[in-house]
Amino acid sequence: MSWRVANECAERRFGSAARKQIIMFLADKASDDGSGIWCSKGTIQRHTELGESTVKRTISDFLKEGILIETGRRPCKNGFTVIHRIVLARVMALESMAEPDEGTGSTVDPVQPEPGTGSTMDGVRGPRWTPNHPKTIHKPPTRKRAEAAAVEDERFEKIWAAYPKDRQRGKAACLARIAEAVKEGVDPDHLLRAVKAYAAESEGFTRSKVCFSDNWFADRRWQRFLDTLAEEQRAQTTLTADHHARLAAWVRDRNPMCKHITAPQVTALLAAGLVTDGQLRAAGLAG
């Protein structure tokens, strides 16, 4: 579950109670970047208690509106389940739930424009301005926060610098888009890899086929590379899990192939709970 995605969805208007209920259920299944949502329409229907046609129509509408996109498929007993991602930029563009401050007040018992003056019993006055008042003077950032911001700016600059030099345009806008993506939960290192992958992919392209950096970041064209990276990572995780399962079977069967199992692999098998110390000792491996 991602509290960040859930909070973003909770603060926006989706047009109906059913649409809001479905998007909140999907947000509960998402990663911090909105990705990794794999649940069937039947699952959504059971948990939201909405009608089947309502769920199907709403998901279809979200896809058409760009609030959801399909990023892959996951095998299941009935065939496959579509993997979705909530597009946070599209969600954030929706109308906010926050009530506007119209400042009408009351004519009978008017609200004080400033905070109270504290208790009259202890003589301590309250603050002149609330923390979010325009006239509040905030303290400068601490050295730790300033250093963290400097590191972040440096990483953003590296992402910008990795874009092909002959297609760089609108640096300030690009850096703002990069910061926006990172705020949404995108790993800066992954974004840097996406830029480098695009640079390698488009090397040698004629000028009519390339994309200038301001448009590339504005159109979030890096998402395709991130989706590919995520698929590769999932495939590698599955491959590693299968390999560890095979090694664990060797250990349990005391297979002669155990002699080829390395110390880091032994540690990984123990950490995953696939074998016990006793099984390792029986197979001739130190626990």
Side-chain angles (χ1 to χ4, degrees), residues 113-146:
E114 297 183 14
T117 56
S119 169
T120 56
M121 295 181 65
D122 57 21
V124 178
R125 295 176 61 85
R128 178 168 177 76
W129 305 116
T130 54
N132 61 346
H133 193 280
K135 293 187 179 181
T136 296
I137 300 176
H138 295 280
K139 294 181 179 179
T142 63
R143 178 179 297 179
K144 186 176 181 180
R145 289 204 303 271

Side-chain angles (χ1 to χ4, degrees), residues 16-266:
S16 72
R19 284 167 60 92
K20 189 62 167 279
Q21 192 171 350
I22 290 173
I23 198 66
M24 292 305 299
F25 178 80
L26 295 176
D28 184 58
K29 307 298 180 185
S31 301
D32 282 344
D33 62 352
S35 66
I37 305 169
W38 55 279
C39 52
S40 67
K41 295 181 180 66
T43 299
I44 299 173
Q45 180 188 354
R46 287 194 304 274
H47 285 269
T48 61
E49 300 184 32
L50 295 169
E52 180 181 359
S53 60
T54 299
V55 172
K56 290 182 177 180
R57 183 179 63 254
T58 301
I59 295 297
S60 178
D61 289 345
F62 282 161
L63 290 169
K64 291 177 183 177
E65 295 164 16
I67 293 173
L68 283 182
I69 60 172
E70 295 183 2
T71 59
R73 296 181 176 183
R74 183 184 181 95
C76 67
K77 63 180 180 180
N78 296 321
F80 66 87
T81 300
V82 176
I83 303 174
H84 290 102
R85 178 171 69 85
I86 294 175
V87 181
L88 292 177
R90 185 68 189 87
V91 170
M92 293 168 69
L94 297 175
E95 182 184 354
S96 173
M97 294 285 291
E99 295 183 1
D101 184 8
E102 298 178 354
T104 56
S106 170
T107 56
V108 177
D109 188 12
V111 179
Q112 295 181 6
E114 297 183 14
T117 56
S119 169
T120 56
M121 295 181 65
D122 57 21
V124 178
R125 295 176 61 85
R128 178 168 177 76
W129 305 116
T130 54
N132 61 346
H133 193 280
K135 293 187 179 181
T136 296
I137 300 176
H138 295 280
K139 294 181 179 179
T142 63
R143 178 179 297 179
K144 186 176 181 180
R145 289 204 303 271
E147 291 175 351
V151 171
E152 191 172 67
D153 289 343
E154 183 179 352
R155 298 177 80 179
F156 295 172
E157 287 283 349
K158 286 183 178 179
I159 295 171
W160 157 259
Y163 205 86
K165 300 293 185 292
D166 61 330
R167 291 170 249 161
Q168 290 181 342
R169 186 174 69 184
K171 180 177 179 180
C174 292
L175 291 176
R177 297 290 186 180
I178 293 169
E180 178 183 284
V182 172
K183 186 178 180 181
E184 292 177 10
V186 177
D187 188 326
D189 291 335
H190 291 175
L191 199 54
L192 177 60
R193 291 178 63 178
V195 172
K196 290 181 177 179
Y198 171 70
E201 177 185 84
S202 60
E203 185 177 4
F205 281 12
T206 60
R207 193 173 183 84
S208 62
K209 293 184 178 180
V210 298
C211 184
F212 281 94
S213 58
D214 52 351
N215 291 330
W216 195 83
F217 284 108
D219 294 341
R220 303 170 70 90
R221 298 194 182 188
W222 41 264
Q223 186 61 55
R224 174 168 65 89
F225 298 94
L226 295 193
D227 291 341
T228 300
L229 175 62
E231 288 292 338
E232 292 174 352
Q233 290 177 334
R234 282 193 286 269
Q236 183 59 46
T237 299
T238 300
L239 186 64
T240 301
D242 291 343
H243 183 55
H244 285 171
R246 184 167 61 255
L247 296 182
W250 287 356
V251 172
R252 291 191 294 270
D253 297 339
R254 303 180 191 179
N255 192 301
M257 294 296 290
C258 287
K259 64 183 179 181
H260 297 294
I261 299 178
T262 64
Q265 289 172 336
V266 169

Side-chain angles (χ1 to χ4, degrees), residues 7-15 20 94-100:
N7 287 339
E8 289 290 354
C9 291
E11 293 174 359
R12 304 292 165 177
R13 295 185 183 278
F14 285 86
K20 189 62 167 279
L94 297 175
E95 182 184 354
S96 173
M97 294 285 291
E99 295 183 1

